[in-house]
């Protein structure tokens, strides 16, 4: 079962929401899910609107996802360098310099 279904099942069985969320955070290894469950638990404990907490959590998760995507995008050029140097550049040099070398060789042999 997905974690949220198990939480809903636990709540329908009569477990308190805080306890169901805490058990979900213990079952999963996802840090963002743990932060979400602790934020919702604290919101219900202190009487803060859960909708506001969810809005702020979603904005924070969007920022984290954007940051991770930017971080991955910055790593791509480093990963491309090795295939570029080993595969593409030698072929490019052969195509560009090869005809010149052949002409020099022909001129050297003929002269």
């Amino acid at each position: 079962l997905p974690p949220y279904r198990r939480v809903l099942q636990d709540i329908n069985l009569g477990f308190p929401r805080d306890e169901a969320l805490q058990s979900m955070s213990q079952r999963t290894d996802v840090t963002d899910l743990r932060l979400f469950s602790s934020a919702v638990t604290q919101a219900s404990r202190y009487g803060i609107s859960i909708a506001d907490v969810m809005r702020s959590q979603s904005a924070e998760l969007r920022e984290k996802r954007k940051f991770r995507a930017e971080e991955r995008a910055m790593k791509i050029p480093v990963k491309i360098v090795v295939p570029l140097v080993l595969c593409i550049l030698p072929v490019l040099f052969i195509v560009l310099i090869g005809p010149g070398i052949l002409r020099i060789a022909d001129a050297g042999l003929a002269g």
Side-chain angles (χ1 to χ4, degrees):
L1 285 174
Y4 56 87
R5 279 194 185 166
R6 178 77 187 265
V7 169
L8 290 175
Q9 229 175 23
D10 288 348
I11 291 171
N12 286 335
L13 288 173
F15 289 102
R17 183 179 355 150
D18 296 345
E19 187 178 320
L21 288 171
Q22 184 179 11
S23 65
M24 176 190 64
S25 68
Q26 289 173 352
R27 283 190 304 266
T28 61
D29 290 333
V30 181
T31 305
D32 293 334
L33 196 57
R34 288 182 182 193
L35 292 174
F36 172 76
S37 66
S38 65
V40 170
T41 301
Q42 287 178 359
S44 65
R45 188 176 302 149
Y46 296 119
I48 301 170
S49 171
I50 292 177
D52 292 339
V53 170
M54 292 179 88
R55 269 190 221 101
S56 67
Q57 285 288 315
S58 66
E60 183 179 333
L61 288 175
R62 270 188 235 106
E63 286 294 320
K64 281 184 182 179
R65 188 171 52 232
K66 180 181 172 185
F67 178 73
R68 282 192 296 252
E70 288 174 355
E71 198 173 85
R72 276 191 228 130
M74 292 177 77
K75 290 179 182 178
I76 288 174
V78 175
K79 292 179 181 179
I80 289 177
V81 167
V82 173
L84 180 71
V85 169
L86 294 178
C87 300
I88 298 171
L89 287 179
V91 174
L92 186 65
F93 285 136
I94 290 170
V95 169
L96 293 177
I97 298 174
I101 292 174
L102 291 176
R103 285 190 185 187
I104 292 171
D106 283 343
L109 293 175

